[in-house]
Amino acid sequence: MPREIITVQMGQCGNQIGMEFWKQLCAEHGISPEGILEENAVEGIDRKDVFFYQADDEHYIPRAVLLDLEPRVIHSILNSPFAKLYNHENIYMSEHGGGAGNNWGSGYSQGETLSEEVFDIMDREADNSDSLEGFILCHSIAGGTGSGMGSFVLEKLTERLVTTTLLRVTDVVMGDLLLPFFRYPKKLIQTYSVFPNLNESSDVVVQPYNSILTLKRLTLHADCVVVLDNTALNRIAAERLGIPNPTFSQINQLVSTIIAASTTTLRYPGYMNNDMIGLIASLIPTPRLHFLMTGYTPLTSDAQVSSVRKTTVLDVMRRLLQPKNVMVSTPRDKHHNHCYISILNIIQGEVDPTQVHKSLQRIRERKLTQFIPWGPASIQVALSRRPPHIQSAHRVSGLMLANHTGISSLFESTCNQFDKLRKREAFLDQFKKEKMFKDDLSELDESRAVVQQLVDEYVASTKPDYMSWGEKSTS
């Protein structure tokens, strides 16, 4: 039985990424922009029900919730060829349409105000699922809606997962009974979170505040966070695809390729990794270390199709380990010996399992990877069918999902930018207008402390005594 997943798209960035993701899924499953199954679509080899459901007239509708506090991006979706694909009851735009002004506090406060309407939509979508496995949240951490309102939705989703309400049940013998009722029991929350380009000055001056406040919620309330670093995405577009000044649309297409590839084993299941829990359980050894980086190869733009090279399993797996193909910028740290905690490679295409074993052996012999000293040192591989409705110029392609301690350098850079502003008490006036910050700014400092603990834990995980680190840090 398929385990359904609900995708929640938040803010400008989240909805732009989400739109490209649904375009990609429709293409891979042979579904037209109106949700109609194409005549040449192959039935029976995929699980469309994980991300889609069928209406009474049998056209496919995404299990998607689109939320934004300003209408521009959602209006562009509703005026696109894919407008009829979505369930319009699952689209929410704020009535005043003013947005969150790139302010986390405003996004969070508006999330609180609109909570009932937003969760009515999400509850209805959850009730429409037979065996809901979890939620995927697409958003940015640096703006206002995706970060602020996204943080609020994360917190409330977690509350609905772990807290109970008392349900009154009338019993003939016992009278009225109060029984615990879980709204979304044991559901996973995975996010695809876009991190800002730290190498360029941003128009959003409060970006470091927004990022730190969101990172606290991602640390405490998400089960898995796939980090999409704009710095690395722009570098890859320039160096690998030959696009020196990529547009938002080109970056979003790159991101949608990653999200689609990371869900391939859920939609084209094999013997392993065919549900979300199976996919992420082996990648995340301890609750806090749940931030993953990705790599994808081969990447080709339309202009490069004529220069296709031969791809082998070894070639793909070796390239996935190269820093230039990884979509998070992690500069070399001289003070810490950063290493992999876990790796899962999803290989698509015509693959013989014996090729996988030989490739893993070669990688071990050449010592191309360094793993943590306290856990298993092995690369996991999941083989997946290639979607039959998309013609690929390459015989083999691969996605790497990796848990690497070097990701802490990204959080450290965010903390450094935060500290520069916080020391000068800069750009805090808009935050002080919101209820959470009216009396004091302790939430900013508490969030900074949570992110620092996350950095410290990733650094500690590079050492053999990590398993006793928690005891030392509390004593």
Side-chain angles (χ1 to χ4, degrees):
M1 177 189 286
R3 302 292 308 278
E4 299 96 348
I5 295 168
I6 295 172
T7 303
V8 184
Q9 303 166 196
M10 304 282 296
Q12 175 182 324
C13 177
N15 279 295
Q16 286 174 332
I17 289 170
M19 182 169 70
E20 294 298 332
F21 172 62
W22 291 112
K23 282 183 189 176
Q24 182 78 15
L25 256 58
C26 285
E28 291 189 6
H29 290 283
I31 297 171
S32 75
E34 293 81 24
I36 309 297
L37 203 61
E38 304 280 9
E39 287 183 8
N40 62 346
V42 182
E43 283 282 13
I45 65 168
D46 60 0
R47 283 182 179 169
K48 297 179 186 69
D49 292 351
V50 173
F51 285 96
F52 295 89
Y53 64 90
Q54 283 184 282
D56 290 345
D57 64 357
E58 297 196 346
H59 83 277
Y60 284 90
I61 300 173
R63 299 183 189 277
V65 177
L66 286 66
L67 307 172
D68 207 348
L69 296 175
E70 60 103 9
R72 187 168 52 87
V73 174
I74 289 183
H75 276 167
S76 71
I77 294 172
L78 297 179
N79 290 318
S80 74
F82 287 81
K84 293 181 181 177
L85 182 70
Y86 301 93
N87 177 1
H88 287 216
E89 291 184 346
N90 285 7
I91 297 174
Y92 183 84
M93 290 179 289
S94 176
E95 287 179 12
H96 65 77
N102 288 319
N103 182 295
W104 184 95
S106 174
Y108 190 93
S109 297
Q110 290 187 63
E112 281 185 300
T113 305
L114 304 171
S115 173
E116 192 171 331
E117 295 164 83
V118 168
F119 276 94
D120 275 349
I121 295 172
M122 294 176 69
D123 289 349
R124 186 178 65 246
E125 194 59 38
D127 292 338
N128 192 35
S129 306
D130 293 325
S131 180
L132 181 66
E133 182 169 27
F135 298 86
I136 283 178
L137 174 66
C138 298
H139 70 132
S140 162
I141 73 163
T145 305
S147 65
M149 192 175 181
S151 294
F152 176 79
V153 168
L154 261 178
E155 286 182 354
K156 290 302 162 190
L157 266 179
T158 311
E159 280 182 23
R160 293 159 92 86
L161 292 172
V162 299
T163 62
T164 62
T165 48
L166 291 175
L167 185 68
R168 187 173 293 278
V169 179
T170 301
D171 184 274
V172 177
V173 180
M174 302 292 292
D176 281 357
L177 300 174
L178 290 177
L179 300 177
F181 171 68
F182 292 84
R183 189 65 193 84
Y184 304 133
K186 299 178 183 176
K187 303 295 180 255
L188 292 170
I189 302 174
Q190 180 175 1
T191 78
Y192 288 88
S193 302
V194 178
F195 281 58
N197 189 337
L198 298 177
N199 292 343
E200 295 180 1
S201 58
S202 171
D203 296 336
V204 184
V205 291
V206 293
Q207 177 179 287
Y209 295 145
N210 295 341
S211 299
I212 287 291
L213 288 161
T214 312
L215 266 173
K216 174 190 173 183
R217 274 76 189 175
L218 290 173
T219 303
L220 299 180
H221 299 291
D223 296 301
C224 175
V225 177
V226 178
V227 174
L228 301 162
D229 176 19
N230 256 332
T231 312
L233 292 169
N234 279 277
R235 171 181 54 76
I236 287 171
E239 294 176 5
R240 311 296 291 165
L241 299 177
I243 308 171
N245 297 302
T247 62
F248 283 125
S249 176
Q250 288 168 324
I251 293 293
N252 291 339
Q253 284 174 359
L254 186 57
V255 169
S256 72
T257 302
I258 299 305
I259 303 177
S262 67
T263 60
T264 304
T265 58
L266 311 180
R267 297 179 288 113
Y268 290 88
Y271 294 111
M272 295 174 63
N273 308 110
N274 52 18
D275 57 10
M276 197 194 289
I277 185 70
L279 197 64
I280 67 175
S282 57
L283 287 167
I284 301 170
T286 58
R288 288 280 178 99
L289 306 182
H290 62 245
F291 291 82
L292 306 182
M293 56 176 69
T294 61
Y296 188 84
T297 192
L299 284 168
T300 51
S301 64
D302 294 339
Q304 294 174 312
V305 171
S306 59
S307 59
V308 173
R309 66 170 194 273
K310 182 180 179 182
T311 53
T312 64
V313 176
L314 176 60
D315 176 60
V316 165
M317 290 177 67
R318 184 173 52 79
R319 286 174 183 272
L320 287 174
L321 295 169
Q322 294 173 350
K324 63 185 178 183
N325 287 317
V326 175
M327 298 190 184
V328 173
S329 293
T330 52
R332 191 171 292 278
D333 190 337
K334 296 176 182 177
H335 305 292
H336 306 295
N337 191 21
H338 286 300
C339 51
Y340 286 100
I341 296 172
S342 54
I343 299 175
L344 171 65
N345 286 343
I346 299 174
I347 307 294
Q348 285 182 283
E350 304 166 24
V351 177
D352 183 341
T354 58
Q355 294 176 312
V356 174
H357 295 303
K358 287 178 182 175
S359 302
L360 289 172
Q361 191 173 355
R362 292 282 289 279
I363 288 169
R364 273 195 296 268
E365 287 169 357
R366 295 181 185 180
K367 297 181 179 176
L368 296 179
T369 55
Q370 184 181 356
F371 279 90
I372 46 171
W374 48 271
S378 63
I379 299 174
Q380 301 165 76
V381 179
L383 301 181
S384 176
R385 294 188 189 97
R386 192 186 292 285
H389 309 291
I390 294 184
Q391 296 300 314
S392 173
H394 300 284
R395 194 174 66 84
V396 182
S397 61
L399 171 86
M400 176 181 71
L401 287 169
N403 200 339
H404 191 280
T405 62
I407 205 167
S408 61
S409 62
L410 183 63
F411 309 143
E412 215 159 0
S413 299
T414 306
C415 286
N416 292 337
Q417 287 200 342
F418 171 90
D419 292 340
K420 288 176 187 175
L421 293 184
R422 187 73 180 95
K423 281 174 186 172
R424 293 180 303 185
E425 302 276 317
F427 307 117
L428 288 171
D429 290 345
Q430 293 300 316
F431 281 89
K432 290 175 181 176
K433 292 177 183 177
E434 304 301 334
K435 184 173 70 173
M436 181 183 285
F437 302 98
K438 195 165 272 184
D439 297 328
D440 60 46
L441 298 168
S442 59
E443 180 59 36
L444 282 167
D445 301 321
E446 287 171 15
S447 298
R448 171 68 173 82
V450 169
V451 178
Q452 186 59 54
Q453 287 172 357
L454 177 66
V455 171
D456 294 344
E457 183 158 356
Y458 265 110
V459 170
S461 69
T462 63
K463 297 168 182 160
D465 62 348
Y466 167 68
M467 298 311 285
S468 59
W469 174 81
E471 299 166 15
K472 293 176 186 174
S473 61
T474 53
S475 60

